Amino acid sequence: MDSGHIWQQFGVVTWRSRRVQSSSQAVMAGCLALALFASGLWWSGALTPHIRWSLDGFFLHAQVDENGVLSTDIDIELENEGPTPFTFTGISAEIPGLRFLPADEARNERFTVTVAGGGMEYLRRRVVITDCAAVPHEPRPVTFTYRTWLRSGSAEAMWNSWRLSGPAGSVLVAWQRGLAGKVCNGAVNPDQF
């Protein structure tokens, strides 16, 4: 008789295999629970909010200040498509000829906007057109920063193309080109708008 038979006779081998089997099941159950928890956080929007951004160009008009700076106010719609609220904290873009200005309290612009789960909010920002001709024709993204109860982050949004109408019909253009064209034309010919 060898030692393996003795261990088997006292049930030690069976006890060890059951213990290994139950611990491997516990590890698998823990991994599954962790995966379900992470997917629940993602679905709720706590990790990355489910945001729909849009820009309304209907009310754009050119503003030229006393220093000759050409600008316009844009209204941005923030829609939270998830159940977890998020707080919008900033907007920026690397677009030649166009620059977003920070929020200005004197102009009643909010620095942060909290959007409830399933809710919608609007915010207004001032955009300066530094060079009408330099604004690119290909679509460029806008970067938004946000904060949830779990973390802070940023997201890029590519706004939809605009349809410009003219004597030859209508044509689709990148959002920033449409914005710059409308504002620059409005500054040159304010009676047109």
Side-chain angles (χ1 to χ4, degrees):
M1 208 174 217
D2 63 359
S3 63
H5 289 319
I6 295 172
W7 291 114
Q8 210 170 23
Q9 193 175 24
F10 289 109
V12 173
V13 173
T14 310
W15 172 78
R16 285 174 110 193
S17 67
R18 267 193 242 131
R19 184 175 170 136
V20 168
Q21 185 179 18
S22 67
S23 64
S24 67
Q25 288 174 346
V27 167
M28 288 176 49
C31 289
L32 179 62
L34 186 60
L36 289 173
F37 180 71
S39 65
L41 284 177
W42 180 85
W43 173 84
S44 73
L47 292 175
T48 303
H50 305 290
I51 307 168
R52 191 169 58 89
W53 322 89
S54 62
L55 173 66
D56 186 6
F58 184 74
F59 296 108
L60 289 178
H61 63 280
Q63 302 169 13
V64 180
D65 68 9
E66 63 277 354
N67 298 322
V69 175
L70 177 61
S71 66
T72 190
D73 291 323
I74 61 170
D75 294 316
I76 302 168
E77 180 182 298
L78 306 170
E79 183 178 353
N80 188 349
E81 296 178 330
T84 302
F86 73 89
T87 301
F88 165 88
T89 57
I91 183 172
S92 64
E94 293 187 23
I95 301 173
L98 189 136
R99 187 169 43 115
F100 284 91
L101 295 183
D104 184 0
E105 283 183 349
R107 296 170 45 90
N108 292 328
E109 296 172 348
R110 298 183 283 176
F111 287 97
T112 61
V113 176
T114 299
V115 184
M120 183 183 304
E121 288 287 334
Y122 293 90
L123 66 104
R124 179 169 281 207
R125 283 297 184 269
R126 188 171 175 209
V127 177
V128 173
I129 310 294
T130 58
D131 184 352
C132 293
V135 177
H137 291 272
E138 66 278 351
R140 296 288 177 94
V142 175
T143 302
F144 293 91
T145 54
Y146 60 85
R147 184 175 61 237
T148 67
W149 65 271
L150 189 59
R151 69 181 210 109
S152 296
S154 65
E156 282 191 345
M158 187 70 75
W159 282 326
N160 292 334
S161 297
W162 290 18
R163 185 171 296 279
L164 294 181
S165 298
S170 64
V171 65
L172 288 176
V173 296
W175 73 269
Q176 77 277 354
R177 188 71 228 161
L179 181 140
K182 188 168 183 176
V183 172
C184 294
N185 291 340
V188 173
N189 187 4
D191 297 331
Q192 183 181 0
F193 297 97

